[in-house]
Amino acid sequence: MLDERARSLLKTLVERYIADGQPVGSRTLSKASGLELSPATIRNVMSDLEDLGLIASPHTSAGRIPTARGYRLFVDTMLTVRPLDTVSEPQLQPDQPQRVIAQAAQLLSSLSSFVGVVTAPRKSSVFRHIEFLRLGDRRVLLILVAPDGDVQNRVIFTQRDHTQTELIEASNYLNSQYAGLTIEAVRERLKTELDALHAEIAALMRTAVQVGSEVMAETQEQVVVSGERNLLGVQDFGHDLGALRKLFDLFEHKTELMRLLDTSSRAEGVRIFIGGESRVVPFEELSVVTAPYEVDGCIVGTLGVIGPTRMAYDRMIQIVDITSRLVTNALTQR
């Protein structure tokens, strides 16, 4: 799409804008690019880049700044990622998964000076053991044990009172027939297999599966956010109270954040989302650099850095990649 001259000038413009935060003029481009081009030629190339939607001209300056499309082309085809010589890899303590997640969010924030986000590992909907305990008239304690030893308890209300013997019978049946399956798989099989059981026990099992599904949903991914206040010092946001308010709403409610991180967990490696180029990132001034992390070879969560579109993408890629490997190692060692 672009010839080498245009690519070189766009690359230089983006790098200068990221470094200085000021619109880049033709004179600055001429010096920084190292190309022996007249100011008129540079202005013509910049005009072409503007027509292509890669740069824009703020009303208050004769210089140009990159657009989301310009950042995307720069990130995808011009970015050179160099090893970080200023970051020594710290070790995350693998004593508790939640502590690892919190440490990782803080590490991302401190290294990037922006916002660090990490989703907690997705819990498996598989159950290892299920047990019913009679509490009283039509009240039963449901005990669900996950493969990792996590125990969830819920009180369920039954259509009639059950003896403890009946509850043991139901527990034994579920454990012998369905242990190791997901709650969803158990639900599907029960639809066709419960005809052989007593109607009352069948109703109890349906209730247990429904409650089990709700329990798993309640304990699914949580997102840990660290360093939101760092954005108060970012030039791009500092004087726009409306933008800051929208950003902090994003961090508080987390629904959009979860959707974004869930999208990035479906692919391997580092991904970059630039605001304004799609509906994935809700704000034009925002970019997100993410990577999934694994436990025992399986992707279980996502982490990343949220900051202004004017960020040092080469550095952010390294920070996110390093932290992803640290979290993977810490959680796999458990």
Side-chain angles (χ1 to χ4, degrees), residues 41-65:
T41 300
I42 290 179
R43 284 195 294 271
N44 287 336
V45 174
M46 290 177 72
S47 178
D48 292 340
L49 293 175
E50 192 166 3
D51 290 342
L52 291 170
L54 298 172
I55 61 176
S57 177
H59 298 301
T60 57
S61 171
R64 305 296 199 279
I65 64 173

Side-chain angles (χ1 to χ4, degrees), residues 85-131:
D85 53 8
T86 58
V87 176
S88 58
E89 295 192 13
Q91 293 301 311
L92 300 178
Q93 300 303 315
D95 51 354
Q96 296 177 2
Q98 275 305 120
R99 189 174 175 186
V100 171
I101 298 308
Q103 289 174 337
Q106 293 167 3
L107 181 64
L108 287 164
S109 174
S110 64
L111 291 178
S112 68
S113 298
F114 298 134
V115 181
V117 290
V118 187
T119 61
R122 286 188 288 272
K123 286 183 175 292
S124 169
S125 62
V126 174
F127 76 91
R128 188 180 74 196
H129 182 79
I130 193 168
E131 191 172 334

Side-chain angles (χ1 to χ4, degrees), residues 285-306:
E285 307 87 355
L286 216 61
S287 283
V288 186
V289 182
T290 68
Y293 64 88
E294 302 177 352
V295 174
D296 297 324
C298 297
I299 293 175
V300 296
T302 312
L303 53 79
V305 167
I306 298 176

Side-chain angles (χ1 to χ4, degrees), residues 23-42:
V24 183
S26 56
R27 182 174 299 178
T28 302
L29 268 184
S30 177
K31 292 179 180 178
S33 68
L35 300 177
E36 295 184 0
L37 300 173
S38 68
T41 300
I42 290 179

Side-chain angles (χ1 to χ4, degrees), residues 192-310:
T192 58
E193 297 177 7
L194 281 182
D195 292 340
L197 301 174
H198 297 302
E200 296 86 353
I201 297 296
L204 173 65
M205 289 186 178
R206 287 194 186 96
T207 302
V209 169
Q210 177 60 36
V211 172
S213 180
E214 293 169 359
V215 167
M216 295 302 179
E218 289 172 9
T219 57
Q220 280 300 304
E221 288 182 305
Q222 296 175 326
V223 60
V224 178
V225 182
S226 178
E228 302 97 314
R229 294 184 65 85
N230 286 340
L231 295 184
L232 294 174
V234 174
Q235 174 184 325
D236 307 59
F237 303 129
H239 304 297
D240 189 342
L241 294 180
L244 282 172
R245 192 174 297 112
K246 287 197 298 181
L247 282 176
F248 279 87
D249 284 344
L250 171 70
F251 300 134
E252 182 177 350
H253 297 115
K254 298 181 180 177
T255 306
E256 291 283 348
L257 203 52
M258 285 299 303
R259 189 175 299 128
L260 168 64
L261 295 174
D262 183 59
T263 299
S264 60
S265 72
R266 299 179 197 138
E268 296 181 1
V270 176
R271 297 189 69 185
I272 298 173
F273 300 90
I274 298 173
E277 66 174 2
S278 71
R279 294 181 180 178
V280 177
V281 180
F283 306 117
E284 188 169 343
E285 307 87 355
L286 216 61
S287 283
V288 186
V289 182
T290 68
Y293 64 88
E294 302 177 352
V295 174
D296 297 324
C298 297
I299 293 175
V300 296
T302 312
L303 53 79
V305 167
I306 298 176
T309 51
R310 188 178 67 84

